[in-house]
Amino acid sequence: MTDITEDTTFTINALSSLDQIDAATWDACACPEAADGGRPIDPFTTYRFLKALEDSGSVGAGTGWDPRYLTAEIGSQVIAVAPLYGKSHSQGEYIFDHNWAHAYEQAGGRYYPKLQMAVPFTPATGRRFLTRPGYDTVGMSALVQGAVELATQNHVSSLHITFCTEAEAIAGGKMGLMRRITQQFHWLNDNYGSFDDFLTSLSSRKRKTIRKERRTAQDFGGEIVTLIGDDIQPEDWDSFWQFYQDTGARKWGSPYLTRAFFDIIHDTMRDDIALVMARRDGQNVAGAMNLIGRDTLYGRYWGCIEDHPCLHFEACYYQAIDLAIHLGLKRVEAGAQGEHKLARGYLPAETHSLHWVADAGFANAIDRYLAEERRAVSHDIEVLTSYGPFRKTEIEEQQ
């Protein structure tokens, strides 16, 4: 047990680049479980993922994501770090505060800039207060104090810690931060031995629908392959860049990630990537990108240059389930939103965030709003779960 007292002195630093800290020091806090060579629990907070965002120009000057990575030190040892950014907009966050910004500015305030503790463009739950083992409580406390102090000193409106863990949300609430609960749809592996085992857990109607969708997708006129590690070739990223641009243009207006990002992660992270590619006549026509964590498969991007019925469902959801079962993973997180995932075995799950607002009156209004929102989300999750595709009793199925 680390000997920490209330009199312990911390040094908090805000770094404008990961070049100011070495990878081993960052990862000792972000993914200590990977020190034995295994996969990190969360690939998104690793040094190499965040560095790829920075080195590719996906974050930094002109993007509205200005790095302010936090470190907390005791003596000469870094005991905690956090991915923190100055924001001039609310794009790429997936826990939406646009209505807060509008209300704040309608009242005469200036909502931007703000501070965002998050992984850019990544709606995946994971630790945001990254601490060395044994420093969990004191490290989080130091980072919270440091982030609030940085926000106060720079006269920004607010601080937002998004897609943090439930444990962090509970602890942050006790520290005076405001808790927000939103929802996503996750697939859970109930020790299935195969996709067919998963199907047997569904109602007969849902089983038939999924089997039909899979047959329809497979009949697009080519083959669907899953590529991991060295199976991924540089030219696959040329195809995927086309897919990503198409999706980005339709969803966001312009892609968040640069082309260079994919080249960098090919060099530094391809063992943690699973590309699902639909190929016809030797050409990739659609694809989905996943990142592989220690116990979770994270679905991130999908795109295509040809539209084929049910191919999106197959590449993004069913192939992900297949792969998770094959790798023995506990869950699939398929990204933000999407009630259509419910019929395909993905159930609603809570996601968590923490918020601090400088203006006391506005903070009180948001706190009241969040209390109502939490009740509404809890009710929605209960209702949606009851409509899930899993088998019920014979009487319930007949109803």
Side-chain angles (χ1 to χ4, degrees):
M1 179 66 69
T2 305
D3 185 17
I4 298 294
T5 70
E6 292 183 0
D7 298 326
T8 300
T9 300
F10 300 96
T11 301
I12 305 294
N13 292 305
L15 311 180
S16 59
S17 171
L18 285 174
D19 289 332
Q20 296 170 257
I21 185 172
D22 63 87
T25 299
W26 181 278
D27 285 345
C29 300
C31 53
E33 71 281 354
D36 61 0
R39 294 191 190 277
I41 293 172
D42 179 1
F44 301 109
T45 52
T46 61
Y47 187 91
R48 60 188 185 275
F49 185 87
L50 296 172
K51 191 72 161 58
L53 290 174
E54 185 180 321
D55 287 350
S56 67
S58 300
V59 302
T63 68
W65 290 85
D66 189 16
R68 290 289 182 269
Y69 313 105
L70 282 189
T71 66
E73 300 178 24
I74 298 177
S76 59
Q77 184 182 46
V78 174
I79 59 102
V81 299
L84 186 68
Y85 300 84
K87 290 297 305 295
S88 59
H89 54 64
S90 291
Q91 279 84 52
E93 296 171 10
Y94 300 96
I95 291 181
F96 303 112
D97 63 350
H98 298 93
N99 56 339
W100 300 3
H102 180 71
Y104 197 77
E105 291 170 1
Q106 285 289 102
R110 185 184 175 202
Y111 193 72
Y112 304 107
K114 61 177 183 174
L115 289 179
Q116 193 84 15
M117 190 179 293
V119 178
F121 329 121
T122 306
T125 292
R127 289 189 306 136
R128 296 295 173 257
F129 303 95
L130 310 173
T131 61
R132 285 182 184 267
Y135 291 92
D136 302 52
T137 301
V138 72
M140 179 175 176
S141 178
L143 291 172
V144 169
Q145 293 176 51
V148 170
E149 183 177 348
L150 186 66
T152 302
Q153 289 176 348
N154 286 275
H155 307 290
V156 302
S157 70
S158 51
L159 163 69
H160 309 268
I161 300 103
T162 47
F163 293 101
C164 61
T165 66
E166 182 179 16
E168 289 176 325
I170 292 170
K174 293 177 181 177
M175 295 178 192
L177 301 176
M178 295 181 289
R179 290 183 60 188
R180 188 174 192 181
I181 295 177
T182 48
Q183 73 172 37
Q184 289 182 343
F185 292 85
H186 299 168
W187 179 84
L188 303 179
N189 188 352
D190 190 16
N191 295 314
Y192 301 120
S194 66
F195 194 93
D196 282 341
D197 284 349
F198 158 62
L199 286 180
T200 61
S201 70
L202 306 182
S203 68
S204 60
R205 183 167 60 88
K206 295 300 183 183
R207 282 198 302 273
K208 291 176 184 177
T209 298
I210 290 175
R211 284 179 174 140
K212 182 179 179 181
E213 287 183 345
R214 298 204 78 179
R215 286 194 302 268
T216 299
Q218 294 285 348
D219 287 342
F220 80 99
E223 62 174 347
I224 299 173
V225 297
T226 297
L227 310 173
I228 298 175
D230 290 341
D231 291 335
I232 304 172
Q233 300 302 309
E235 54 266 28
D236 291 318
W237 294 114
D238 293 332
S239 299
F240 197 80
W241 174 244
Q242 289 183 279
F243 308 154
Y244 176 71
Q245 282 186 300
D246 176 72
T247 301
R250 285 185 284 105
K251 282 191 173 182
W252 317 303
S254 60
Y256 293 140
L257 301 172
T258 66
R259 176 65 181 85
F261 172 80
F262 297 101
D263 289 333
I264 293 171
I265 62 171
H266 177 78
D267 290 338
T268 63
M269 296 192 69
R270 64 179 176 271
D271 287 342
D272 299 313
I273 295 171
L275 280 184
V276 177
M277 288 296 204
R279 291 176 171 168
R280 187 167 50 77
D281 299 328
Q283 180 185 17
N284 295 321
V285 299
M289 174 181 164
N290 307 271
L291 267 79
I292 309 168
R294 181 163 285 208
D295 59 15
T296 303
L297 185 69
Y298 300 94
R300 288 305 303 117
Y301 301 108
W302 147 267
C304 62
I305 57 174
E306 295 180 2
D307 290 321
H308 294 279
C310 299
L311 193 55
H312 172 250
F313 300 147
E314 176 66 20
C316 293
Y317 308 137
Y318 303 142
Q319 289 287 331
I321 290 172
D322 254 335
L323 182 59
I325 293 171
H326 174 71
L327 296 177
L329 303 178
K330 295 179 181 178
R331 69 178 64 227
V332 178
E333 293 192 18
Q337 304 172 308
E339 291 186 5
H340 61 279
K341 298 169 186 171
L342 184 67
R344 292 161 182 93
Y346 291 73
L347 294 179
E350 289 184 351
T351 52
H352 302 270
S353 60
L354 292 164
H355 306 269
W356 173 89
V357 174
D359 183 274
F362 194 61
N364 286 334
I366 289 177
D367 200 30
R368 291 193 297 272
Y369 166 80
L370 292 180
E372 292 296 326
E373 186 184 48
R374 286 194 297 270
R375 283 191 284 271
V377 170
S378 177
H379 178 261
D380 285 349
I381 288 176
E382 182 179 355
V383 170
L384 287 168
T385 300
S386 72
Y387 283 101
F390 292 90
R391 284 189 303 178
K392 302 177 176 63
T393 66
E394 185 176 344
I395 292 176
E396 287 175 318
E397 284 211 42
Q398 290 173 351
Q399 293 173 339

